[in-house]
Amino acid sequence: MTRRHIFLILSLLTLLAFISFHFANPPQVVEVTRFLMGTIVEIKAPLDSHGDYAAVRRAIERAFGEMKRVEELFSVYRKNSEVSRINRLRPGENLKVDPETFDLIEESIEYNKRTEGAFDITVKPLVDLWKDAAKNNALPSEEDIRAARARVGSRYIKLDGQVRTISFLLEGMAIDLGGVAKGYASDRAIAVLKDNGIKNAIVNSGGDLYCLGRKSSEELWSVGIRHPRKKDDIYLEVKLENKAVDTSGDYEKYFMCKGKRYSHIIDPRSGYPAGDDVMSATVIAGDCATADMLATALCVLGRSGLNIIDATKGEDAVVIFKDSGRLVSQSTKDIEKRYEIGSKN
Ligand code: AMP
Ligand code: MG
């Protein structure tokens, strides 16, 4: 027998051992991870006592398929996505769009009003300007910021609900759904999981989460809110059931210039990145798209933004910020009466 034969036989035996172990001891949780929308997306579903591993796995695959579809629709990186086609519109031109795109843009415009201008999908000219700054490691000139800011404003988007068209009122406008698309995709993934009979699961798109049902009959899902300055440390832990939770912060995507940190979230009103005193904002809401938009907005508004969070709609929030050099947090009033929260600090 040659070494090659021995290797083949050993590989086969290992595979057989794995398969027999897998069927004798099916995993208690089905967990699949993919890279989508520029982040790591994880879907996890526990098997109940009569759980069918293959059926749960199939449901998860379908949920990923749905997220991919949403990514293709809204990506600004794909030349033929619906959003890219919108962004090629000149003033006076109309584009008839998919009902899903129309509704998400309409909702984003509503959230622009609700967040007093802090959340604005027309922020793209400023996002691009600051991305170039990061690439060149040089701050943009005030004149460039002023020129880009003049092309920003949700009030310059015109929607016609009767014929489902969109148009821009200003030259050089463009939209970026980066502050809501991940949340929306998670909501769609949850809808697909439910349609496929899944009652308990967690969808985590890089910090944008939905907790469907519970972890087990005894336990709720436990979500860790990251420490914004200590990688791998958890700042707070919150127990949730049938809730979305989304964190936006300045610690994942940012650039440093002359010792100062510049966040990827832009204040559309000033044209500058959100202030470095707000380190992260976490929002709990009934759905991920809402939590996503509000978390982005709270990074701009800081703790004063907690006033727009509406407990009667099932919303809560935690803002972590710097106060006289110290890292502190502030939450919506009475949050601890609604959730079990564990402080790790
Ligand atoms: P998130 O990580 O959900 O806070 O979204 C951040 C992304 O949303 C950025 O990478 C931009 O693409 C976009 N964005 C930046 N600033 C804003 C803003 N003020 N309103 C809406 N979207 C924004
Ligand atoms: Mg967001």
Side-chain angles (χ1 to χ4, degrees):
M1 212 182 311
T2 65
R3 280 173 70 172
R4 194 176 135 82
H5 283 123
I6 295 172
F7 175 75
L8 277 175
I9 289 166
L10 282 177
S11 304
L12 204 63
L13 285 174
T14 314
L15 188 67
L16 282 172
F18 173 77
I19 292 171
S20 50
F21 178 79
H22 183 85
F23 283 102
N25 308 283
Q28 293 310 299
V29 179
V30 187
E31 201 172 334
V32 186
T33 304
R34 295 272 153 79
F35 191 77
L36 272 174
M37 302 178 293
T39 191
I40 293 166
V41 181
E42 177 193 50
I43 302 184
K44 199 152 79 172
L47 285 181
D48 57 29
S49 47
H50 325 284
D52 174 350
Y53 180 88
V56 175
R57 178 79 209 213
R58 224 172 14 248
I60 293 179
E61 287 304 331
R62 288 184 183 143
F64 272 119
E66 176 66 358
M67 291 181 106
K68 187 139 187 56
R69 186 190 65 79
V70 171
E71 178 184 33
E72 283 168 10
L73 199 59
F74 298 142
S75 170
V76 285
Y77 302 105
R78 290 168 194 262
K79 255 178 53 200
N80 284 320
S81 72
E82 194 152 49
V83 166
S84 294
R85 281 190 283 128
I86 291 171
N87 285 345
R88 286 194 287 272
L89 285 173
R90 307 279 311 270
E93 291 175 347
N94 290 312
L95 184 72
K96 188 175 170 91
V97 293
D98 201 277
E100 210 175 353
T101 313
F102 191 90
D103 291 350
L104 193 63
I105 293 176
E106 196 168 43
E107 200 182 348
S108 300
I109 297 173
E110 267 168 38
Y111 271 72
N112 175 251
K113 292 186 197 127
R114 186 178 166 197
T115 61
E116 292 144 13
F119 180 80
D120 196 331
I121 54 168
T122 67
V123 75
K124 189 166 188 302
L126 286 166
V127 168
D128 290 346
L129 187 69
W130 285 97
K131 263 190 199 154
D132 280 347
K135 215 185 299 160
N136 305 328
N137 199 31
L139 301 183
S141 69
E142 277 191 27
E143 200 184 321
D144 285 345
I145 295 172
R146 215 176 307 122
R149 197 159 66 92
R151 296 187 272 134
V152 173
S154 282
R155 62 191 177 281
Y156 303 121
I157 300 181
K158 209 164 150 253
L159 294 179
D160 185 338
Q162 301 245 297
V163 278
R164 246 177 30 234
T165 56
I166 178 166
S167 56
F168 290 144
L169 299 180
L170 299 179
E171 186 73 50
M173 281 181 73
I175 58 168
D176 174 351
L177 296 176
V180 60
K182 266 196 288 167
Y184 177 75
S186 303
D187 287 334
R188 289 299 316 144
I190 287 290
V192 168
L193 290 173
K194 280 183 176 169
D195 285 349
N196 283 272
I198 304 292
K199 295 195 171 51
N200 303 294
I202 198 157
V203 174
N204 182 1
S205 316
D208 175 282
L209 275 112
Y210 190 88
C211 304
L212 175 66
R214 16 172 80 215
K215 191 176 176 192
S216 66
S217 50
E218 299 84 41
E219 254 188 300
L220 299 188
W221 291 109
S222 176
V223 175
I225 298 171
R226 267 179 57 182
H227 191 294
R229 290 295 178 268
K230 291 185 198 154
K231 205 173 172 293
D232 304 326
D233 264 25
I234 298 294
Y235 186 80
L236 278 181
E237 214 168 58
V238 54
K239 305 259 191 221
L240 297 166
E241 179 178 10
N242 293 322
K243 280 280 181 184
V245 53
D246 185 289
T247 300
S248 276
D250 68 357
Y251 50 87
E252 245 166 19
K253 290 189 204 144
Y254 66 90
F255 77 102
M256 300 293 294
C257 191
K258 297 184 184 142
K260 194 166 153 32
R261 181 188 290 252
Y262 292 90
S263 165
H264 70 302
I265 296 169
I266 312 293
D267 183 342
R269 303 160 310 174
S270 68
Y272 283 83
D276 65 355
D277 48 336
V278 189
M279 296 170 177
S280 82
T282 298
V283 174
I284 300 173
D287 64 88
C288 290
T290 301
D292 196 355
M293 290 188 280
L294 289 175
T296 305
L298 253 55
C299 282
V300 172
L301 296 169
R303 64 189 134 149
S304 69
L306 289 169
N307 294 328
I308 65 165
I309 302 299
D310 188 348
T312 66
K313 290 187 182 154
E315 295 167 1
D316 269 293
V318 182
V319 177
I320 304 178
F321 56 97
K322 216 166 34 190
D323 191 15
S324 315
R326 266 181 351 113
L327 187 141
V328 279
S329 67
Q330 193 173 323
S331 312
T332 32
K333 195 167 167 283
D334 294 336
I335 189 173
E336 64 290 343
K337 293 190 183 151
R338 291 181 285 274
Y339 300 99
E340 190 185 318
I341 297 181
S343 171
K344 296 272 172 172
N345 279 264

